[in-house]
Amino acid sequence: MHDGRKIKVGVLGATGTVGQRFVVLLADHPFFVLHALGASQRSAGKTYALAVTWKQTRPIPAVVRDVAVHECSPEFFSDCEVVFSGLDADVAGPIGVFPCLAPLFAANAPLEERFRSADFAVFSNAKNHRRDPNVPLIVPLVNPRHLSMVHQQRALHSPPLQKGFIVTNANCSTTGVVVPLAALEKAFGPIESCMVTTMQAISGAGYPGLPSMDIIDNVVPYISGEEEKMEWETLKILGGITEGDDGRKEFDMHAKQPLRVSASCNRVPVIEGHTECVSVRFARRPPPSPQQVREALLGFTSDAWTLSCPSAPRHTIFVHEEADRPQPRLDRDYQAGAGVSVGRVRQCRVLDIKFVVLANNVAIGAATSSVLNAELAVCKGLI
Amino acid sequence: MHDGRKIKVGVLGATGTVGQRFVVLLADHPFFVLHALGASQRSAGKTYALAVTWKQTRPIPAVVRDVAVHECSPEFFSDCEVVFSGLDADVAGPIGVFPCLAPLFAANAPLEERFRSADFAVFSNAKNHRRDPNVPLIVPLVNPRHLSMVHQQRALHSPPLQKGFIVTNANCSTTGVVVPLAALEKAFGPIESCMVTTMQAISGAGYPGLPSMDIIDNVVPYISGEEEKMEWETLKILGGITEGDDGRKEFDMHAKQPLRVSASCNRVPVIEGHTECVSVRFARRPPPSPQQVREALLGFTSDAWTLSCPSAPRHTIFVHEEADRPQPRLDRDYQAGAGVSVGRVRQCRVLDIKFVVLANNVAIGAATSSVLNAELAVCKGLI
Amino acid sequence: MHDGRKIKVGVLGATGTVGQRFVVLLADHPFFVLHALGASQRSAGKTYALAVTWKQTRPIPAVVRDVAVHECSPEFFSDCEVVFSGLDADVAGPIGVFPCLAPLFAANAPLEERFRSADFAVFSNAKNHRRDPNVPLIVPLVNPRHLSMVHQQRALHSPPLQKGFIVTNANCSTTGVVVPLAALEKAFGPIESCMVTTMQAISGAGYPGLPSMDIIDNVVPYISGEEEKMEWETLKILGGITEGDDGRKEFDMHAKQPLRVSASCNRVPVIEGHTECVSVRFARRPPPSPQQVREALLGFTSDAWTLSCPSAPRHTIFVHEEADRPQPRLDRDYQAGAGVSVGRVRQCRVLDIKFVVLANNVAIGAATSSVLNAELAVCKGLI
Amino acid sequence: MHDGRKIKVGVLGATGTVGQRFVVLLADHPFFVLHALGASQRSAGKTYALAVTWKQTRPIPAVVRDVAVHECSPEFFSDCEVVFSGLDADVAGPIGVFPCLAPLFAANAPLEERFRSADFAVFSNAKNHRRDPNVPLIVPLVNPRHLSMVHQQRALHSPPLQKGFIVTNANCSTTGVVVPLAALEKAFGPIESCMVTTMQAISGAGYPGLPSMDIIDNVVPYISGEEEKMEWETLKILGGITEGDDGRKEFDMHAKQPLRVSASCNRVPVIEGHTECVSVRFARRPPPSPQQVREALLGFTSDAWTLSCPSAPRHTIFVHEEADRPQPRLDRDYQAGAGVSVGRVRQCRVLDIKFVVLANNVAIGAATSSVLNAELAVCKGLI
C-alpha cells in the first residue's frame, strides 16, 4: 500500500517520444513527483522547454518547463528513488534509415545497468533487458506477480543490491495480445496456439520513425524484429516461475503447456493505436463459445486495479458489441489508453476463436505500462 | 484461338468505378471493340463524357467521349456479343450509409439474367451469381477450366441458350489469396487450412464508398459479408467439378480434401491494392520448405498466359526477396496490376508456411479479371 | 449575469455531427441542462443510444444514452427555453454526391422558424438565416454586441415575440479569419483588404461528407459556396449596426470603410482543424509592424471571457512563436478548441502583414460557437 | 536541331530521389544515353541495383541494374558530355531533423563546379547556383532564352571554358507559378503583384523527408527557405537580360516593371503534386477578364515544344473547366507530369484574377525540367 509520501523520480531520455509521455503522466501523479530529467549531452544544461521538440497534443506541463536537463548519469539523479527509461522507442525507427545515428544510443543498455548499480529502481521501456533471466518483463494488467523476481535480481547482483533493480515492460504489440490471452487462460486454461496479425501505428516507431513517403497510402508488411519479439515475449509474460533444487528461480516460458505463437506484423498509416487480429486454439476440448469468451474478457480484472494503482483502468478489457469496433481513431483514448479493447469475438474455422484487439501503443503499450509497473512496485512494497 | 476479328462488346454500369475501368481496358483491345455503354436511366441519352464523373488518373479515352449512354436493356446492345457488368462494386459501399440508394441498383441481378436470356455472353464483376451452381466463378489466373460449366448453364436454361451465359469473377480479396494457393496446391497437393488477414484498400468499396471521416488515421476491422465471401469462394474456385450418375456436373467445393479457410477482413487507408497476410497448412507431411514454396510460386504460369490471352501477366506471381515487400503503393501497378505479388515467405509456428500477398483490387481483383475471363472464353471457343 | 438556475435546452438534429458535439458540450454544463433531443422521423421513438451512430472519440454521455429522441417539432420541446440547431453541417457534404438526399433536409429552415414562432431562443449552426437582415450572425469571440438586433427581430415578427429569436453562428472557415481580423481592427483601425487561402478539414463537411477516394493523397481546391460565404459573412460580422431615421436598425456590412475579402477554399486530408493563410492591408499608413500585430493579437480578450461565459477560452488568440506552428494535429485541441491559434506573423510583399490561423472547425467553428452565443445571451439577459 | 547522335550522359546523386527520376527519364531517351552513375563513397563500387533503395512505382530499368556506381568525380565520367545533378533534393528535408547528415552533402556545390571546370555541361536540380549571376535559372516551359547566358559564364570562367557550364532549374514550387505567369505576361503585359499560397507534396522534401508523425492528419504551414526562393526565383525567371556599356550581361530581375511576389508555403499529406492558389494584379487597366485569361493560358505554347524537345508536353498549360480541378491525385500524371494544370480561373476581389495551379513536383518541378533544359541546350547547339 502506498503510504501517501511522494517519491522523487527521474526520466531518462526525457526529450524523446516515450520520455515526453512519461513527463505528461508524471507531471501530476499521486505517488511520484518529477524531480530530474535526463537526455543526451546535446541537451544537457538547457531547460526542458528549450531542449525538447514537444510533439504532444497537450502543452508542456508548466512544472517541467524550466527544469534543467542533465546527462543520464546517476549523480544528477541522486535525490530520486526511481528512474523511468524512455530511450529505446526513439531508436527503433531511424536506425534503418540513418545508421549514423546508432552510436548516439549505443550506451543505452549499460546506462540502465549503471542506474541499477547505483541502487535506483529502473522501469524501462527499452528492449535491452527483456530477455535477461532475472529481469521481469511485465505487462501490468497481466503478470505483476513476476515482480517477485526482483529479489533474486538484487541478490545475484555483484555486489548485491539493497534497492536497485530493473523491470521492463513489453513491446507495444505484445502488450495488445497478452492482455486478452491472460484473461482467456485464467478462465479456460492453457492456450495451445495463437495466430496474430498486427496493423501497427506509426508512433510505435518513435520519432522521426517512418518517413512519410513510405507509409502514406501504403502498408509496410514488415517491422524489423517485431515478430520475434511477440513470439518470445508472450511466452515469458504468460508463463510462470519455477524454482530449481538450488532455490534458483526461472521464468518457465509457458513450459507446462507449450504455447505456439505466430505473428505477422504490419505498419499502417495510423498515428496511434495498434489493431491486432488474433485467433486462438485452446487446449481444452470443447473450446469455449464466443459468448463465454466475451464474458471472460469482460470479467477480467487486473491486480493493478484491485491494488488501487492510480493509473489502472477500471475496465481492463472493454468488449465492443458493434460489428466494426474497436477502431484506433475512435477507441484509442478510452480510459486514457490504459486498458485494452476487444471486439468481433467469433468462431474461427481453423483454430477456435478469433477476435480483434486494440491497444494504445504509446499508453498501455509504452509509458503507461512503465508507470503502472512502478505503481505496482510501490503497492507491493518493493519501493 | 482468336481469329483476329474484333468482337463488339458493351459495358453495363459504365459510369461506375468498375465500369470506368472496363472502359479503360477495352478502349484499345486486340479482341474487343467497345460498342455500347449502359448506365442508369438518369444518364441515358447523354454522351459518356457528360454522364460520367471520371475518377481515373488517365483521361477519358477519346473513342468513348462522345458515345451515347443507354439504359441497360438488351435492345440497346443488339450488335454486341459480349457485355461486361460493372454494376456491383459501386453498390457495395454506400448502401450502409444511404439506404435510399439501394433501389437504384436493385434491378442488377435480374438485369444480367435478361442479357443472358437475350443470348449475350455476360462477364460480371457482381456478386449476385457467384453462388449459382451453374455459373462458373473464375479467377482467370487460377481456374479457367471451370468455364466448361457454361455448356450445362446454357442447356439448363429455359429455353436452352445457343450463346448466352454468365461468368462471374471473384471478390477482390478472394482473388489475392487463391492465386498463390492454387500454385501451392499444384506443386504440393492439397492445402488443409488457410488463415488470412486482409488489409484492404478503400477503392474496393467503390465510389463513394467509405466516408473519409471513417478511414483517415484509422483501421476499420470489418467489411460486411467479406469474410464469408472469402471463406466460401475459395472453396468453389480451388475445388473441382464432379459429374453425377445423371451426367449433371457440380462444383465440388474442394470436397476430396476438406479445406478450412478463416478470414479476417480489415479496411485500411490505402487507395489501391489489397495486402493479405496468409498462413497455410499442407496435407502433405513434412510440408515444403519456404524455399520450395518460393520456387513453386515463382514457377507458376497461368493458362491465360499459356493461351496468349492479351491481358495475361508474364509473371503470374512475382516473388519479392526484400524483407519489406510487397507494398501496395510501390507494387500495385506492376504489370498493370494483372498479376499478384508475394513476399516474406517464411515458416509459421502454428501452421506451416506464411507469406504476404498483394493484389490490385481494381485490376486483377475486378475489371481485369472479367476481361481476362472473356479473353479465355474467346481462346476456348466459347465466344 | 447568470443567476445560477439551470435552463432546460433541446438539440435539433441531435444525431448528426454537429448535434453530437452539442450533446457532448451540454451534457454537463453550468447554465444548461439537456432536456430534449430531436432528430428525423426515422429516429423518433428510439433512445438516443440506439438512434445515433456515435462518431466522437469519447463515449456517449451517460445522461443522454436512454433519453428518447423526438421529431423536431416544438410540442416535444415544451419545457425548454432554448434549442440548439445542428441540422445543417450534415447537409453540406453529401448533397453533391447524393442529390436524392436533399429533400430529407429541406424542411430545415422553416423548422427553425417554427421554433422561433413558438417563442424558443434558437441558436443555429445552419446557414439558412445568416443573411437575414434581422438575424445576428455572431462569432462569440468577435461581435456579441450584434445580439442587440434580437429586439428588433422579435418586434418585427408577426405576431411580435416575447422571447423567441434566432441567432446564427458563422461558417467554420469564416470564424477562423474574423477573430484575428477583429483583434487587428480594434488595435489598428479598419482593414482594407484581406486575402485568405484555406486548407479545411474533412469534418467541416459533416458525415459522411467527402468520400475517402476523393481526399486521401489529395487536395480538392474547391468547396461549394464556401468562398462566397467567407467573403460575405466577414463583412456582416466585422461591420457595425446603423440606425435609420425611422429607428430601424441595419447591419452596415463594414460600410464606413469598405473591406474587400478574397477567399480561396481548399479541402485537405486533415480530420479536424482549418488552417488558413491570411494576408491583410490596413487603411492606416504606415501599417503596424509584425511585432505590433503579434502583441495586438495576444492582447485581445473577448467579451465572452470578460463576461465569464463558461465556455470562453482564457486565450482568445494563442500566438505561436515557433516557425512551423500552428498545426492542426498538434494545436486543434488547445482550450478544447474554443480559441484560435495564430502563427508566422510576418510582412507581406503585396499587402502589409501575413500570418497563419488555425481554428477548430467542430469546436469554435461550429457547436462551441452556438453554445457560447447562448451563454452570452444569458449573460446579457436575453434568456 | 538534334542531329541524331546519342550523347553520353551521367547522373550525380543517382541513388537519391531526384537521381532515381533522372535514371527513369534517361533510360530510354532519344538524345541521351545513360553512361555513368555517381553516388556517395558508400555506394561506389556496387552495382546500381545494390546501391539504390529503389522507391519508384516502376521497376529499375534493366539497362542500369548492373551498371557500376562511381564516386562523383569527373574522372569516372570521362566519356560523358553532360551530367545531371540530383544531389540537392535529398538534402532539403532531413537536415532539420538530423543535422548530423549535413556534412554528407556539403561537398555538393563545389562538386558541380568541378564538373564544369572539367568541361561538362551540368544540369542541376540543386539550389546552390540558382543565384549565381552567370548561371541561368531555367524553367524550360518559360525562359529557355536565358540559356544564352552560358556564353558569358564560359568566358568569365578561369580559365575560360570551351564546353562546360552549369544550368539550374527552379525550385519545384516556383516552377508551378511561373508557367502561368509567363503565359499571362506574354498575353497581357507585366504583372504587378502576385500572391501565392502553396500546398506542397511530401515528395518535394526528398527522402526520408518529413517524418510521417509530422504530416499524417496534418498541415505544416512552413517550409524552410521556400517562400524566399519563390519570391526571388520568380523575378530572375520572368525577368530579362540587360547588357551594360561594357558588354556585360545581367539578369534584370523583372526591373522594367517591378513585380512583387508574396508566397505562403505549406506542406500537406499528398505524395506527389504541388497545388498552388495564385492571385495576380496586372499593370494593364482594365485587367483581362477570366475568359481572356483562360484563353491566354490555353494558347500558350512553350519554345521547348516548338523546338521539338522530346520531353516537352503537347499542352504546356492544361486548363480545367470543372469547378473542382486540378487535383493532385487525379491530374499529376497527365503528360507524364511535364506540363502544368490550371483551373478555377475567376475574379479576385483584392487583386484582379485568381486561379489554382497544379505542377508535378518530381517531374516538371525537378528531374523533367533538367532533362528538358538539356534537350533545349542540344536543340540550341550549346551541346
Side-chain angles (χ1 to χ4, degrees), chain C residues 137 142-143 146 170 173-175 177-178 181 185 194 196 227-239 253-254 259-261 263:
Chain C
L137 171 57
V142 171
N143 62 329
H146 285 185
S173 52
T174 307
T175 302
V177 74
V178 294
L181 293 189
E185 293 212 317
C194 172
V196 53
E227 297 173 354
E228 294 73 16
K229 283 185 212 163
M230 289 189 76
E231 295 177 355
W232 192 93
E233 294 181 6
T234 297
L235 303 185
K236 182 167 179 180
I237 294 163
L238 294 181
M253 302 299 290
H254 213 274
L259 166 56
R260 292 179 301 161
V261 180

Side-chain angles (χ1 to χ4, degrees), chain B residues 17 42 55 94 97-101 202-203 206-217 269-271 329 332, chain C residues 17 42 55 94 97-101 104 202-203 206-217 269-271 329 332:
Chain B
T17 302
R42 201 177 40 172
K55 292 281 178 183
V97 178
F98 301 116
C100 64
L101 297 179
I202 54 173
S203 50
Y207 185 85
L210 276 88
S212 50
M213 287 294 293
D214 282 348
I215 194 64
I216 289 180
D217 182 21
V270 165
I271 290 175
R329 196 173 75 78
R332 62 195 171 201
Chain C
T17 303
R42 198 178 43 172
K55 292 281 178 183
V97 178
F98 302 115
C100 66
L101 297 180
L104 297 182
I202 54 173
S203 51
Y207 185 85
L210 277 87
S212 51
M213 287 295 293
D214 282 348
I215 194 63
I216 289 180
D217 183 21
V270 165
I271 291 176
R329 198 173 75 77
R332 64 195 170 201

Side-chain angles (χ1 to χ4, degrees), chain D residues 84-109:
Chain D
F84 293 94
S85 165
L87 291 164
D88 187 55
D90 285 274
V91 183
I95 291 295
V97 178
F98 302 116
C100 65
L101 297 180
L104 297 182
F105 299 95
N108 183 9

